[in-house]
Amino acid sequence: MPTVNAFAATSASGPLSRTTIERRDVGAKDVLIEIAYSGICHSDIHTVRGEWGDITYPQVVGHEIVGTVTEVGSEVTLHKVGDRVGVGCMVNSCRECENCIAGEEQYCLNGNTGTYASVDRDGTITQGGYSTHIVVVEDFVLRVPEAIPFEKAAPLLCAGITTYSPLAHWKVGPGSRVAVVGMGGLGHMAVKIAHAMGAEVTVLSQSLSKQEDGLRLGADHYYATSDPATFDKLKNTFDLIVNSVSAKIDINAYLSLLRLDGTLVSVGAPPEPLPVQVFSLFGNRRSFAGSGIGSIRETQEMLDFCAEHGIAPETELVAADYINEAYERVLASDVRYRFVIDAATLA
Ligand code: NAP
Ligand code: ZN
Ligand code: ZN
């Protein structure tokens, strides 16, 4: 089993640090990927800090991975050595349940195998992308189009697909009025993708500090949620609200902004419940929904959509030794708009 360099959390409260981990030998249907870049998602922070439940340490996180194929198993047909590829939030699923058969394996009824902190098919705990190499079964590996700059592509594998999927599911297009709550890693991708789909896009951010950026990324309107007048002005306005906030917010205030048959979909995953008053839903026959990542098929569709529309995340490339500082900046909403680790700094 190859031993590779990685950066791991060793406890819920301590800093992440350098380590080595073992990757499995390349099986018949596996692909060995030399990781080039790995994005930092807020889910990595929720996970290593135990906010979503206890985990086993040491744990390597990271599920926005791009790299180059350096070895393929004897039965691999989808990828070849030298290909530019990506790996997102899951690396396997049961392939038998009705959701897997429907091509929605992110909702595998037996639980998809997460890229990290998940029990793998061989019983080991999966270790994610803050590492130099990863071994993944071929059909959970994506093709990264040449048109997408490699050093910016990684965040598409989570932030991109997690926002593309609900925008596509609720059929956003010309004439749709879409609001994006929180302009961080996911939020800024929601703005770009919804704009490219033809929607009229509004950002609802805590302050106006990122207004210029929001408008540059494709938003038509930008409001501060710290100003109570925002909620009066925008009542009954939106067809779809994508909530990407990592913390608890007053969800009823946001529901009031939906017009007839509008939906508020939460992709943000705060550890605390978001209490909903049913009366917030009666008016305008509103819906409150959730959405988790996206299928492999849809992730490929999203990558091709981004290539076609010239969409790439706004990134700040950092060395592995900057990860702990990057976490603090993400927590302070001081990210513009995704940190990406240069895996060469782990070598
Ligand atoms: P992020 O970069 O930290 O962005 C979150 C944004 O939420 C911040 O930039 C900030 O935007 C806003 N925010 C933060 N704290 C807030 C508070 N107390 N009140 C109001 N707004 C606040 O995080 P991310 O990586 O985009 O992830 C966002 C959430 O999505 C996380 O909970 C993550 O775990 C979850 N997630 C879910 C899925 C899924 O499958 N559903 C996939 C990936 C991530 P402003 O400064 O603009 O207000
Ligand atoms: Zn993520
Ligand atoms: Zn399944």
Side-chain angles (χ1 to χ4, degrees):
M1 284 201 288
T3 301
V4 303
N5 290 349
F7 218 86
T10 54
S11 73
S13 54
L16 283 70
S17 55
R18 279 175 187 269
T19 188
T20 58
I21 54 169
E22 290 192 333
R23 295 297 189 186
R24 67 170 181 260
D25 290 326
V26 177
K29 292 187 177 340
D30 283 338
V31 168
L32 172 65
I33 300 164
E34 184 178 346
I35 298 174
Y37 301 102
S38 197
I40 294 179
C41 177
H42 205 120
S43 300
D44 304 350
I45 305 176
H46 290 307
T47 300
V48 299
R49 301 206 166 172
E51 292 171 7
W52 289 343
D54 293 340
I55 61 162
T56 307
Y57 299 93
Q59 177 67 58
V60 177
V61 290
H63 58 202
E64 295 183 334
I65 301 164
V66 295
T68 305
V69 175
T70 54
E71 190 182 333
V72 294
S74 57
E75 294 172 20
V76 167
T77 59
L78 300 173
H79 308 283
K80 57 183 192 314
V81 171
D83 283 357
R84 278 162 43 119
V85 294
V87 177
C89 303
M90 58 183 169
V91 289
N92 219 329
S93 72
C94 86
R95 300 155 188 261
E96 288 170 4
C97 71
E98 67 173 347
N99 291 357
C100 281
I101 288 166
E104 301 276 9
E105 62 281 343
Q106 73 278 29
Y107 301 121
C108 175
L109 296 173
N110 295 303
N112 72 56
T113 306
T115 303
Y116 58 70
S118 200
V119 180
D120 208 344
R121 306 282 133 178
D122 61 6
T124 60
I125 301 290
T126 53
Q127 303 288 338
Y130 300 2
S131 172
T132 54
H133 298 77
I134 190 167
V135 178
V136 180
V137 67
E138 65 164 342
D139 38 7
F140 280 75
V141 174
L142 289 304
R143 283 174 280 106
V144 178
E146 291 289 336
I148 302 172
F150 213 28
E151 70 283 359
K152 290 186 174 287
L156 296 175
L157 278 302
C158 174
I161 182 57
T162 302
T163 50
Y164 179 91
S165 184
L167 293 167
H169 180 78
W170 275 278
K171 301 192 168 35
V172 164
S176 309
R177 291 191 209 153
V178 174
V180 176
V181 189
M183 203 172 78
L186 267 58
H188 95 288
M189 287 312 305
V191 170
K192 288 191 177 208
I193 294 169
H195 173 70
M197 288 174 167
E200 181 180 342
V201 182
T202 300
V203 174
L204 302 173
S205 179
Q206 293 167 94
S207 74
L208 293 179
S209 65
K210 298 183 255 184
Q211 181 170 28
E212 214 173 284
D213 286 350
L215 299 176
R216 176 174 56 84
L217 301 186
D220 301 282
H221 317 282
Y222 197 108
Y223 292 91
T225 53
S226 53
D227 179 358
T230 293
F231 290 89
D232 292 332
K233 179 154 200 283
L234 298 177
K235 213 167 265 309
N236 308 323
T237 299
F238 302 107
D239 299 297
L240 186 70
I241 300 176
V242 179
N243 168 31
S244 77
V245 175
S246 48
K248 184 176 178 178
I249 56 172
D250 176 5
I251 213 71
N252 299 291
Y254 291 87
L255 284 166
S256 74
L257 308 185
L258 292 171
R259 69 200 289 202
L260 186 65
D261 288 329
T263 297
L264 190 164
V265 57
S266 241
V267 290
E272 310 84 9
L274 298 175
V276 173
Q277 294 284 356
V278 289
F279 293 102
S280 309
L281 301 172
F282 290 173
N284 280 342
R285 194 164 49 201
R286 299 172 175 120
S287 299
F288 181 43
S291 184
I293 54 174
S295 70
I296 294 296
R297 179 200 57 74
E298 194 172 43
T299 305
Q300 192 62 58
E301 179 185 300
M302 175 277 308
L303 287 165
D304 296 342
F305 178 91
C306 289
E308 187 188 326
H309 291 268
I311 294 175
E314 307 289 302
T315 56
E316 181 173 338
L317 194 62
V318 298
D321 291 317
Y322 191 76
I323 290 172
N324 292 298
E325 210 170 323
Y327 275 22
E328 293 311 315
R329 286 184 53 197
V330 171
L331 291 168
S333 299
D334 178 24
V335 50
R336 302 287 186 278
Y337 283 84
R338 198 60 139 184
F339 289 109
V340 172
I341 303 159
D342 182 352
T345 63
L346 278 166

